[in-house]
Amino acid sequence: MQTDQNLLLSTNQTATNMNLPTMSYRQKAYIVDDHTLFATSFGSILEQLKIFDSIKSFSHEEDLIAHLSKFPPQAKTYIFTDYYLEDRTIMPYLGILKNISKHISIIVVSSISNPILIQSIMESDIDAILSKSSGIDELLAAIRAVDDEEIFTDAFIKKILDKNTENNVLPFSKREVEILSIFAQGLSVQATADKIHLSKHTIVTHRRKMMAKTNTNSITELLAYARKIELI
């Protein structure tokens, strides 16, 4: 893919030479990324598409959740988010965002290259996944697909998945990935239970099952395993 088509570098491409989808101008876009340079550049690209009437950036997902809870979307709303956000991942917040409004669609834009992790993300509450090395055409294709209620993966992500010839699978369930992501933030069992509205007993049961699956003997070893496979 040509360098000037890279999502981080294609701000010089104007909307006039793009094959833009026909969409309502009431659509809103939100960017969640703790890297200001990428968020600013990506925001500029979205502005050039001229299909969003509002584009806002957040470095912390909880600030976005607070904003959307105060102003629930009444029209199609796209959230473009990285998977890794400083010392955490977006996973525990996907369900929360989707529950705010039926109009919300989530597109993960990340540089991840682990096929097991990508498969896990695809099985969560997202609508599309794009590599940060993707181009404008694939960004537009993702938006079109989501607008048509289809799940989208770009060519780079598909290539990674195709290379996973050993058919490796993530040993954790969707809920377990969510709990691991919260554990990685240093939260206690009780705080984790409160955060995702489960009982302390349920969290302990999930933790025990995850440790059995990975043959680990402590939460420290379990988190080390999760980091080794780039899950957190």
Side-chain angles (χ1 to χ4, degrees):
M1 188 171 297
Q2 295 181 352
T3 303
D4 64 355
Q5 287 289 311
N6 186 283
L7 287 180
L8 188 61
L9 302 174
S10 24
T11 53
N12 63 334
Q13 185 176 11
T14 62
T16 55
N17 59 5
M18 299 178 193
N19 182 20
L20 298 178
T22 302
M23 298 178 179
S24 168
Y25 281 82
R26 293 180 59 207
Q27 294 182 133
K28 299 182 183 299
Y30 295 95
I31 302 167
V32 184
D33 199 301
D34 57 332
H35 297 92
T36 304
L37 176 62
F38 179 83
T40 300
S41 179
F42 191 70
S44 297
I45 294 170
L46 294 182
E47 287 179 358
Q48 291 181 38
L49 300 182
K50 298 187 182 301
I51 56 177
F52 301 107
D53 70 352
S54 174
I55 300 170
K56 298 181 183 297
S57 295
F58 293 84
S59 59
H60 202 290
E61 68 287 343
E62 291 189 350
D63 292 336
L64 172 60
I65 290 171
H67 174 80
L68 293 176
S69 297
K70 187 175 181 180
F71 307 103
Q74 301 301 314
K76 189 70 172 180
T77 299
Y78 289 81
I79 296 175
F80 298 89
T81 178
D82 199 348
Y83 176 76
Y84 294 111
L85 299 169
E86 199 171 6
D87 59 348
R88 60 199 182 281
T89 75
I90 194 64
M91 292 294 278
Y93 305 94
L94 296 176
I96 298 173
L97 288 165
K98 281 297 189 76
N99 287 334
I100 291 175
S101 170
K102 65 180 181 181
H103 301 292
I104 289 177
S105 295
I106 300 174
I107 298 179
V108 172
V109 184
S110 186
S111 57
I112 55 176
S113 57
N114 184 321
I116 301 176
L117 178 54
I118 291 172
Q119 190 63 49
S120 174
I121 295 172
M122 291 176 61
E123 293 172 358
S124 64
D125 294 312
I126 69 157
D127 299 276
I129 179 168
L130 283 169
S131 167
K132 284 188 176 179
S133 63
S134 296
I136 294 291
D137 289 344
E138 288 186 298
L139 172 60
L140 286 169
I143 295 173
R144 291 191 191 95
V146 172
D147 203 48
D148 291 335
E149 300 183 353
E150 299 175 356
I151 302 297
F152 179 88
T153 55
D154 70 12
F156 182 81
I157 297 299
K158 288 178 180 177
K159 186 176 181 179
I160 291 175
L161 293 175
D162 289 342
K163 285 184 176 180
N164 186 26
T165 55
E166 298 179 2
N167 293 318
N168 295 318
V169 296
L170 192 71
F172 307 119
S173 68
K174 174 182 171 182
R175 176 64 82 180
E176 289 170 343
V177 171
E178 180 182 20
I179 292 171
L180 270 175
S181 298
I182 298 173
F183 281 164
Q185 298 176 39
L187 273 67
S188 66
V189 169
Q190 186 60 62
T192 300
D194 293 342
K195 191 177 186 68
I196 55 178
H197 309 294
L198 294 175
S199 69
K200 181 178 179 180
H201 173 74
T202 299
I203 299 299
V204 171
T205 299
H206 277 299
R207 182 181 63 182
R208 183 172 62 249
K209 288 181 178 178
M210 287 188 286
M211 289 170 62
K213 289 178 181 179
T214 57
N215 195 29
T216 54
N217 299 305
S218 67
I219 186 63
T220 300
E221 290 183 7
L222 178 60
L223 290 175
Y225 175 90
R227 291 190 180 97
K228 183 179 179 179
I229 64 173
E230 302 177 11
L231 184 60
I232 57 175

